[in-house]
Amino acid sequence: MKLAHEPSGLASASPSALRLSGRYYRQYPASNPLGGIEEPLELAVSETVFLLIDVYGTAYEPGAPADPDLPSFYRPARGDMNAEIVQQRIVPAKAKAKAAGLKVVYVTNYLSPGLTEDSEWRNMSIRTCGVDVLEAWQPPTPILEHASIIAPQPGEPVVQKQLYSGFFETHLDSLLRSYRARNLVVVGFDAQICLATTVTEAMYRNYRVIALRDAIRTKEYPETEAGEWANFMAVRFIESNVGYTATTADFVRACDELIEARDARGGS
């Protein structure tokens, strides 16, 4: 899904809030939906967390060669953009988030003790992905290790999840509440699966979700590749049923404006 950067036209940022434009989709009236619209958003830094969902894999390291020993499911397919998204969008967006004062939290998969030979999710993975997680996810594995360019740094919690959603039987909600978080700026993968279920459950818990739509992605099917329709629908789902989306360019600009405003006031 290729979307041009839309200038927000918002007022200058205060030193304690990010101002950016969030897009959502109006599904009414049913006969002729009004469609997408931009809304000015103001996100208090003290209430906003930058959330990375499943941004792992040593294949995201610049110049990393393909690993022939990985299951084919984990080898980048033709036209796969995930490495480019990590390197050119997620890495700079995270850096700006930290510079602006946002807390950073990672959500990642791991070989949970709850996964057994009889786990339905494990058997589904074998059927549909050709991956037995009980074998492929045994640590250490380059599948679940972080590339150095996006690895968690000290003070950046990593919440390990055992299935798709970052909230299912984890400490993510408790961590976010301890931060007094209200807003989640979200990046990562897969936009139809782990990211989609996590942001949906975030909305259930009254978090306002702003997904950076050019920093999330889903796998395409052979039938959807030509128009990148799977990715289009993943973004539309968030905009219609969960929260807002924005671009990384908008987010970086909002962080820069906040930093400039803060510096102009002597860092207060």
Side-chain angles (χ1 to χ4, degrees):
M1 183 178 184
K2 298 174 178 63
L3 294 163
H5 165 59
E6 306 93 341
S8 65
L10 298 174
S12 298
S14 78
S16 61
L18 293 171
R19 295 174 186 256
L20 73 160
S21 181
R23 191 175 76 184
Y24 65 93
Y25 187 86
R26 298 166 295 177
Q27 304 185 70
Y28 63 91
S31 59
N32 187 23
L34 293 173
I37 189 171
E38 300 279 343
E39 177 182 327
L41 301 176
E42 184 168 304
L43 312 178
V45 170
S46 62
E47 298 178 347
T48 304
V49 168
F50 190 81
L51 184 65
L52 299 93
I53 299 174
D54 289 352
V55 185
Y56 55 68
T58 56
Y60 298 148
E61 200 72 58
D67 187 342
D69 294 328
L70 290 180
S72 62
F73 181 78
Y74 294 111
R75 294 180 221 146
R78 175 175 53 86
D80 181 77
M81 293 177 56
N82 285 14
E84 177 183 334
I85 288 171
V86 171
Q87 295 164 14
Q88 298 184 17
R89 298 174 189 167
I90 295 180
V91 168
K94 178 194 169 185
K96 287 296 183 181
K98 289 181 66 70
L102 274 64
K103 289 184 171 62
V104 172
V105 174
Y106 283 73
V107 173
T108 184
N109 286 319
Y110 81 120
L111 187 57
S112 163
L115 293 174
T116 70
E117 291 184 354
D118 294 324
S119 295
E120 185 59 25
W121 183 79
R122 175 254 184 177
N123 292 322
M124 178 278 302
S125 178
I126 294 173
R127 293 196 309 270
T128 66
C129 302
V131 175
D132 184 347
V133 293
L134 294 183
E135 296 177 359
W137 285 11
Q138 286 289 340
T141 170
I143 295 170
L144 301 180
E145 295 166 358
H146 288 88
S148 64
I149 58 169
I150 197 61
Q153 300 302 304
E156 299 173 359
V158 178
V159 176
Q160 294 180 311
K161 61 187 178 69
Q162 55 182 330
L163 292 173
Y164 299 143
S165 173
F167 288 97
F168 177 70
E169 296 184 354
T170 74
H171 300 295
L172 179 59
D173 192 42
S174 296
L175 174 64
L176 295 175
R177 291 186 186 281
S178 74
Y179 286 160
R180 302 185 184 278
R182 171 71 179 86
N183 313 298
L184 304 179
V185 177
V186 181
V187 299
F189 311 107
D190 180 297
Q192 280 191 318
I193 309 173
C194 296
L195 188 141
T197 55
T198 300
V199 298
T200 300
E201 289 208 44
M203 181 266 291
Y204 294 166
R205 292 163 173 79
N206 283 332
Y207 296 105
R208 179 165 54 173
V209 172
I210 304 94
L212 301 186
R213 60 180 175 265
D214 55 350
I216 66 175
R217 194 143 184 99
T218 188
K219 286 180 179 289
E220 296 290 338
Y221 299 97
E223 301 90 339
T224 68
E225 281 182 345
E228 297 186 350
W229 288 111
N231 200 62
F232 174 88
M233 291 306 300
V235 172
R236 178 60 57 83
F237 171 76
I238 294 171
E239 295 175 345
S240 301
N241 301 286
V242 176
Y244 302 88
T245 72
T247 64
T248 51
D250 262 341
F251 177 73
V252 167
R253 176 200 50 75
C255 290
D256 281 337
E257 289 180 354
L258 183 147
I259 293 166
E260 291 171 7
R262 188 173 60 201
D263 291 346
R265 298 193 185 188
S268 61

